[in-house]
Amino acid sequence: MGSGINISKIIGYGVLSPPKGVNISKVVGYVVLDTVQLVSIAVTPNTKTLKAGETQQYTATGTYNNSTTQDLTSVCTFTSSDTDVATIASGGLATAVDDGEVTITATYGGVSGTATLDVITLESVYLTPSNTTITEGDTQQYSATGVYSDASEVALAAASCTWASSNTTVATIDSSGFAVSLADGQTTITATYGGISGNTTLTVGAVVVAEVATRLFGIVSFATANTYRDATYLSKRYEFNPNSIGVMQVLATKYPVTVDLVFPDIPYTITTEVTSKKPVRVKGFLMEAVEVRVNPLEGVTAVYLASTMEELPI
């Protein structure tokens, strides 16, 4: 055989037989076959994060010792290191099951490749806007956001959530998270996604935001809408007189603001629409216990009540 031939690589050789009658036997050719071997398998995607219930198709690509590659997905054996976290079918389709991390392995011909799969689960849902107040007949569009086990937040498709109102006489809500108010009161709006629920309170109508001391007028201030902060009461007392005149000033970021002074012990209500921060005179200013109701609440920072302009603090 020719020099330089590695005999261990000769798979076979041919012997050319001479014509009949010719007494010669000689090797005139040989075939050398280099064995092509699989050296590695790459599994893609190499790293992936899925939400529980989602799927991922994996691909296995083999690399040989002659630098060629081949798709081995259909012939590999796929396994998951923890089937409680994720499972994988024979064709490489993985399904996320529960929170955790697994190793996906593809094996063929004694050679293996791996990839990492993280599975996250939904832990909570919150609604936007939160704890709102609207007037009767108004509407409110809600959105839902899911918080996952890796602390990531994902906007949830409204149509994929189940929406509910705890009191449909106060407000209803449709499958897209669109609420319609019907009557004064409160209801709890709930969105459920993947078995996890979040909720918020919807208040309809004018809301009591403060109460002035019995038989005294005062200055009612609010740190934030719907939160009573401070009251400096005037010392004067008043007799009931629906024809008496008082003054009121409302500080707000937007107008008009409707203010109801409700005297439940009489009963009697004074309703005034305030269009600016300029003080207004109110006929029927009374003593007795009074509830101050402001609508809308958003943007209102203070309501000042006094018997004369001089008694207003600003």
Side-chain angles (χ1 to χ4, degrees), residues 1-13 30-33:
M1 296 184 185
S3 62
I5 300 301
N6 187 343
I7 301 300
S8 66
K9 291 187 177 182
I10 297 178
I11 306 305
Y13 58 89
Y30 52 84
V31 178
V32 178
L33 299 178

Side-chain angles (χ1 to χ4, degrees), residues 5-31:
I5 300 301
N6 187 343
I7 301 300
S8 66
K9 291 187 177 182
I10 297 178
I11 306 305
Y13 58 89
V15 177
L16 181 63
S17 299
K20 187 176 181 181
V22 177
N23 187 16
I24 184 173
S25 179
K26 185 178 181 181
V27 176
V28 296
Y30 52 84
V31 178

Side-chain angles (χ1 to χ4, degrees), residues 70-86:
Q70 184 177 358
D71 185 355
L72 302 177
T73 305
S74 62
V75 295
C76 277
T77 299
F78 285 92
T79 58
S80 166
S81 62
D82 189 344
T83 54
D84 289 335
V85 175

